[in-house]
Amino acid sequence: MLLFGFMAVERFPEHLGALPELTAIRVVEGPVSHIRDGDTIEVAGTPVRLGSLDCAERRTVRGDAATRRMRELVAGQPLTCALNGRTSYDRSIGRCTLPDGRDLAAQMIREGVCGRYW
């Protein structure tokens, strides 16, 4: 049951209100310092892999489109990222929200730019 709860927080954070932030091991706030691709950004120097998002790889048509859209969504805005303690390569896994409260990954999924990571 605990595993199901953990998976829900990581895969469907936009449906769980404040739970991802309340269960976060660490919260990072600040400007986006780099966009690696559609599902990996750096916030205040911390590499963050959006846990619920699955985008095509860079240097593909869909991957480059996802990277461009991510750049447009976060341009000049500070983000709040709730990190769950897991890592993938050098990236912390978590959820990031825009200043208006929108879940960044959910926005990319809603727009059809990327899919949900399963």
Side-chain angles (χ1 to χ4, degrees):
M1 188 62 148
L2 185 59
L3 178 61
F4 178 73
F6 179 80
M7 287 180 66
V9 169
E10 189 169 289
R11 300 294 190 260
F12 301 95
E14 71 275 18
H15 299 292
L16 301 173
L19 188 60
E21 286 77 13
L22 294 172
T23 59
I25 300 299
R26 181 174 162 218
V27 174
V28 176
E29 297 178 304
V32 175
S33 49
H34 181 66
I35 297 168
R36 292 188 184 181
D37 58 25
D39 52 29
T40 302
I41 59 178
E42 293 180 19
V43 177
T46 300
V48 178
R49 165 73 166 86
L50 300 173
S52 61
L53 195 59
D54 185 26
C55 300
E57 296 303 317
R58 286 183 63 188
R59 296 186 187 90
T60 66
V61 172
R62 288 183 52 83
D64 290 345
T67 302
R68 276 192 307 277
R69 183 59 184 139
M70 178 62 73
R71 190 171 284 116
E72 292 166 0
L73 280 170
V74 303
Q77 299 191 72
L79 301 182
T80 300
C81 299
L83 309 177
N84 65 23
R86 290 185 354 103
T87 61
S88 173
Y89 301 99
D90 69 327
R91 309 165 298 178
S92 296
I93 297 175
R95 167 200 190 185
C96 294
T97 54
L98 294 159
D100 64 6
R102 286 181 295 161
D103 181 282
L104 188 54
Q107 185 64 36
M108 296 279 283
I109 293 167
R110 211 173 4 263
E111 292 180 13
V113 180
C114 301
R116 187 168 306 277
Y117 181 79
W118 296 101

